Amino acid sequence: MTTPPDSITSVPAAVESALRVFFDSRRPLTDAVGGTFSGAATALEAFVLRGGKRVRPAFAWTGWVGAGGDERGPDAPAVLRACAALELVQACALVHDDIIDSSATRRGFPTLHVEFADQHRAGGWAGDPAKFGESVAILLGDLALAWADDLVRESGVDAAAQTRIGPVWSAMRTEVLGGQYLDVHTEVTGDESVAAALRINRYKTAAYTIERPLHLGAALAGADDALIAAYREFGTDIGIAFQLQDDLLGVFGDPEVTGKPSGDDLREGKRTVLFAEALVRADASDPGTADFLRRGIGTDLTDEQVHRMRRIITDLGAVTAVQARIDELTTSGLRALDASTATEGAKARLREMAVAVGRRSA
Amino acid sequence: MTTPPDSITSVPAAVESALRVFFDSRRPLTDAVGGTFSGAATALEAFVLRGGKRVRPAFAWTGWVGAGGDERGPDAPAVLRACAALELVQACALVHDDIIDSSATRRGFPTLHVEFADQHRAGGWAGDPAKFGESVAILLGDLALAWADDLVRESGVDAAAQTRIGPVWSAMRTEVLGGQYLDVHTEVTGDESVAAALRINRYKTAAYTIERPLHLGAALAGADDALIAAYREFGTDIGIAFQLQDDLLGVFGDPEVTGKPSGDDLREGKRTVLFAEALVRADASDPGTADFLRRGIGTDLTDEQVHRMRRIITDLGAVTAVQARIDELTTSGLRALDASTATEGAKARLREMAVAVGRRSA
């Protein structure tokens, strides 16, 4: 039995415990299939339990509490399980994104496709290790997505709550896949507009990380439309601000703190709002600079070049513009929250989570 | 509104109509995300609607009818939608399998990853067309899987039926992913045993194509345990027989009828029960022949070599053994069906579907 968290700081541990119980519950199914399938499922479990701040379940849980959910009440364990299911959607998103981005590591460990490629190499098996690794990772990402639905369905929340959360769950999954698709599409087509970058930001991050988790929590609690609208406004604004802050860190972050090479987003060619703001300004003021930015993004820049790009982006006013946007969004998001009927305790938590976004350096 | 089929022959059309209505219902979600996402979803829709015999929904529907479901009753449209959801799981399986197998075409059309790679090339976009195609196909496969769950949840079957079908739906998805995983794993590790080939056959094909769809239909109707057990026995036996027949066609099938080059499975290195039966016999009787088979499988065989391998497989008695297994399984499957409490009409349909398996040449 999973003990529900008694404060927001204990959400990650409670979520992990719920996930552990769920993975145990899948074991008879994977054992029945046999062969090495349970071993593969265990690799997925290790990936899911390895880390992360359980941000999405924390927002969902807090959304539920803020809409009147009783953390010590009889519904709490079932609600916790439904919130924990967000981590399985996230596992699918990360595992498949790591294939798409050809990422070798995540949180200091090999990504899942690399782990299985290594297994292939170590075993001296036939065929291409990279191809094997990607094939297994595609299937294990699918498994995580299927299991996310299983966990919601088997969470124990009652039929009325299931009916309420259905459309939210549905929208959340379609939106994050849409955001990922647009990200992949924009990268190859080279859409440089601020609008395109903001759209990806909104659906790949804001809706998926904050807005819909809060909405899910509210729907679990049977919140009224006004509170749901306030949560969604808060979630969208703070979620976009969160990603904008991430974009700043991707270019200006301290490698010691972020754990990523300095200027990583520039080398990777990430089409961020920050970069779009720089380009639109350069186009208007200095075509040579715009050309330098366009030719440099997504290439194997030297530290010297990264340094120069950073100065240009700053001098163009793009950093100030993004910071102003973060401030505005944080203000409007907090205003929506303050004016809402969420409980005071939940408001305090959400305010703290929102302010942490603006302050974070990694 | 979707009209339920009034006979088994009209299941495919009714399923396609339900799928069309469902895809239309997703449009506001994909339009809200914006950009080119609705276009990508349309490519998925075209893929799903392009073809196939809708075998899985047909079995589920017939399972429901056989357990007392009324094809003209008020529940029929909701049941039809739940059955149609199997085609979306199948879309995910096919789209991801085509990436894993590097398949260029399916049913005479480019596979989804090839379609998007072509789009990339035609647009003269940045980066690697193949990588783009695979990335989009990974995401659209995920979307199909997420939407499969949406369609079940929104099918309109009542809460009691949802509770009954939950574990079946859950098992079916885990089993097919397990079967696919074992298929990929066995191919690289070179597990040559009949047992390994049978396990993949059971979970990748039999459970997923016949057993669980029938079980789903039975659960929708609230069938008793005895009928469910009979359906599952019938489904497993006929499903394995179906795949064994497919294995024979993959080596001996007429290219004019199967649409695939003669001996395709040998060139692809598919580890079928047929091949495992040949190997176990060759190992016992003629090591040189065993060596020839092992060295040849999965290589770019000439027609002459394919011809020789076929003769060896036949002469070793592997074809006879597989045919005997098909006969046995068909007999035992039909016996379980006959002894069941399924309605006479459904029995007749299922018998027809089972016999068609043994007779098919493509």
Side-chain angles (χ1 to χ4, degrees):
Chain A
M1 195 62 203
T2 306
T3 314
D6 56 5
S7 88
I8 192 67
T9 51
S10 54
V11 168
V15 165
E16 278 157 33
S17 154
L19 289 169
R20 248 177 251 280
V21 171
F22 175 75
F23 275 106
D24 284 346
S25 77
R26 295 307 92 169
R27 177 69 71 148
L29 273 175
T30 58
D31 281 350
V33 172
T36 55
F37 186 43
S38 288
T42 302
L44 174 64
E45 177 176 0
F47 177 87
V48 171
L49 294 177
R50 195 169 284 152
K53 296 174 203 141
R54 317 302 176 193
V55 171
R56 291 161 193 84
F59 274 113
W61 178 259
T62 311
W64 178 71
V65 171
D70 176 0
E71 290 179 286
R72 281 179 188 73
D75 297 343
V79 166
L80 179 72
R81 284 190 285 270
C83 295
L86 290 163
E87 285 298 288
L88 294 174
V89 176
Q90 172 69 350
C92 171
L94 294 179
V95 169
H96 284 177
D97 238 20
D98 285 341
I99 302 173
I100 291 170
D101 296 341
S102 306
S103 304
T105 60
R106 173 167 297 278
R107 297 183 196 127
F109 286 82
T111 49
L112 218 49
H113 65 277
V114 168
E115 181 179 337
F116 279 89
D118 288 345
Q119 199 179 99
H120 184 288
R121 242 175 252 112
W125 295 338
D128 178 11
K131 179 78 183 163
F132 174 75
E134 287 184 16
S135 299
V136 173
I138 288 174
L139 297 172
L140 290 181
D142 291 349
L143 193 64
L145 188 57
W147 283 3
D149 280 294
D150 288 355
L151 182 47
V152 170
R153 200 182 321 104
E154 299 173 21
S155 61
V157 306
D158 64 30
Q162 293 277 8
T163 302
R164 290 193 302 268
I165 65 177
V168 188
W169 183 253
S170 165
M172 183 264 299
R173 280 141 60 261
T174 296
E175 285 164 353
V176 66
L177 288 165
Q180 288 175 293
Y181 165 79
L182 291 178
D183 199 11
V184 167
H185 193 262
T186 302
E187 201 174 308
V188 300
T189 57
D191 185 338
E192 297 173 336
S193 66
V194 173
L198 271 175
R199 177 180 292 132
I200 293 166
N201 179 329
R202 167 151 194 202
Y203 290 105
K204 190 174 170 177
T205 304
Y208 171 57
T209 307
I210 311 190
E211 179 199 352
R212 292 300 187 181
L214 278 173
H215 190 178
L216 188 80
L220 281 163
D224 62 26
D225 289 349
L227 179 54
I228 288 172
Y231 272 169
R232 292 187 62 186
E233 200 179 332
F234 168 83
T236 303
D237 289 353
I238 300 300
I240 294 177
F242 173 90
Q243 183 59 52
L244 293 176
Q245 185 64 26
D246 205 59
D247 294 348
L248 286 174
L249 289 170
V251 174
F252 296 94
D254 180 350
E256 299 262 320
V257 185
T258 62
K260 288 199 271 185
S262 179
D264 208 34
D265 279 6
L266 297 173
R267 290 197 181 90
E268 279 185 8
K270 246 177 109 173
R271 293 294 177 159
T272 60
V273 172
L274 174 68
F275 196 76
E277 292 279 15
L279 272 187
V280 79
R281 282 166 172 74
D283 278 338
S285 64
D286 182 356
T289 298
D291 191 49
F292 175 79
L293 290 175
R294 280 198 182 89
R295 276 186 294 109
I297 183 96
T299 65
D300 195 18
L301 300 163
T302 63
D303 285 351
E304 165 63 31
Q305 286 170 315
V306 165
H307 187 75
R308 192 172 154 209
M309 270 195 146
R310 281 172 167 181
R311 239 206 7 237
I312 290 173
I313 292 169
T314 308
D315 290 350
L316 283 165
V319 174
T320 312
V322 168
Q323 272 165 341
R325 217 186 260 267
I326 293 174
D327 290 346
E328 257 174 54
L329 288 165
T330 306
T331 305
S332 62
L334 288 176
R335 196 187 305 123
L337 177 69
D338 286 339
S340 78
T341 57
T343 62
E344 286 310 315
K347 277 185 187 173
R349 287 184 195 178
L350 290 172
R351 219 175 280 126
E352 203 178 302
M353 289 158 96
V355 172
V357 165
R359 247 198 269 108
R360 83 206 173 87
S361 52
Chain B
M1 194 62 204
T2 307
T3 314
D6 57 5
S7 86
I8 192 66
T9 51
S10 54
V11 168
V15 165
E16 277 155 34
S17 153
L19 289 169
R20 248 178 252 279
V21 171
F22 175 75
F23 276 107
D24 285 346
S25 76
R26 295 308 90 169
R27 178 67 72 150
L29 273 174
T30 58
D31 280 350
V33 171
T36 55
F37 186 44
S38 287
T42 302
L44 174 65
E45 178 176 359
F47 177 87
V48 170
L49 293 177
R50 194 169 287 152
K53 296 172 202 144
R54 317 301 176 193
V55 171
R56 291 161 194 85
F59 275 113
W61 179 259
T62 311
W64 177 71
V65 171
D70 176 1
E71 291 178 287
R72 282 178 186 75
D75 298 342
V79 166
L80 178 72
R81 284 190 286 270
C83 296
L86 290 163
E87 285 298 288
L88 294 174
V89 176
Q90 173 68 349
C92 170
L94 294 179
V95 169
H96 285 178
D97 238 21
D98 284 342
I99 301 173
I100 291 170
D101 295 341
S102 306
S103 304
T105 60
R106 173 166 299 277
R107 297 183 196 129
F109 285 83
T111 50
L112 219 49
H113 65 277
V114 168
E115 180 179 337
F116 279 89
D118 289 346
Q119 200 179 96
H120 183 288
R121 241 175 251 112
W125 295 337
D128 178 12
K131 178 78 183 165
F132 174 75
E134 287 184 15
S135 300
V136 173
I138 288 174
L139 296 172
L140 290 181
D142 291 348
L143 193 65
L145 188 57
W147 284 2
D149 281 295
D150 288 356
L151 182 47
V152 170
R153 200 183 321 104
E154 300 172 21
S155 61
V157 305
D158 64 30
Q162 291 278 8
T163 302
R164 290 193 303 267
I165 64 177
V168 188
W169 183 253
S170 165
M172 184 265 298
R173 279 140 63 262
T174 297
E175 284 164 355
V176 66
L177 287 165
Q180 286 175 294
Y181 164 79
L182 291 178
D183 199 11
V184 167
H185 193 262
T186 302
E187 201 174 309
V188 300
T189 58
D191 185 338
E192 296 174 336
S193 65
V194 174
L198 270 175
R199 176 178 291 132
I200 293 166
N201 179 328
R202 167 153 193 198
Y203 290 105
K204 190 173 171 178
T205 305
Y208 171 58
T209 307
I210 311 189
E211 179 199 351
R212 293 300 187 181
L214 278 173
H215 189 177
L216 188 80
L220 281 164
D224 62 27
D225 290 348
L227 179 54
I228 288 172
Y231 271 168
R232 292 186 63 187
E233 201 180 331
F234 168 82
T236 304
D237 289 353
I238 300 301
I240 294 176
F242 174 89
Q243 183 59 52
L244 293 175
Q245 184 64 26
D246 205 60
D247 295 347
L248 286 174
L249 290 170
V251 174
F252 297 94
D254 180 351
E256 300 263 319
V257 185
T258 62
K260 290 198 271 186
S262 178
D264 208 33
D265 279 6
L266 297 173
R267 290 198 181 89
E268 279 185 7
K270 245 176 110 174
R271 294 294 178 159
T272 61
V273 172
L274 174 67
F275 196 75
E277 293 278 14
L279 271 186
V280 79
R281 280 166 174 73
D283 279 337
S285 64
D286 182 356
T289 298
D291 191 49
F292 175 80
L293 291 175
R294 281 198 181 89
R295 274 185 296 111
I297 183 97
T299 65
D300 195 18
L301 300 162
T302 62
D303 285 352
E304 165 64 30
Q305 287 170 315
V306 165
H307 187 74
R308 193 172 154 208
M309 270 195 146
R310 281 173 167 181
R311 240 209 2 240
I312 290 173
I313 292 169
T314 308
D315 289 349
L316 283 165
V319 174
T320 313
V322 167
Q323 274 167 339
R325 216 186 261 266
I326 293 173
D327 290 346
E328 257 173 57
L329 288 165
T330 307
T331 305
S332 63
L334 289 175
R335 196 186 307 126
L337 178 69
D338 287 339
S340 78
T341 57
T343 62
E344 286 310 315
K347 277 185 189 174
R349 287 185 195 177
L350 290 172
R351 220 176 281 126
E352 204 179 301
M353 288 158 97
V355 172
V357 165
R359 248 198 270 106
R360 81 207 177 87
S361 53

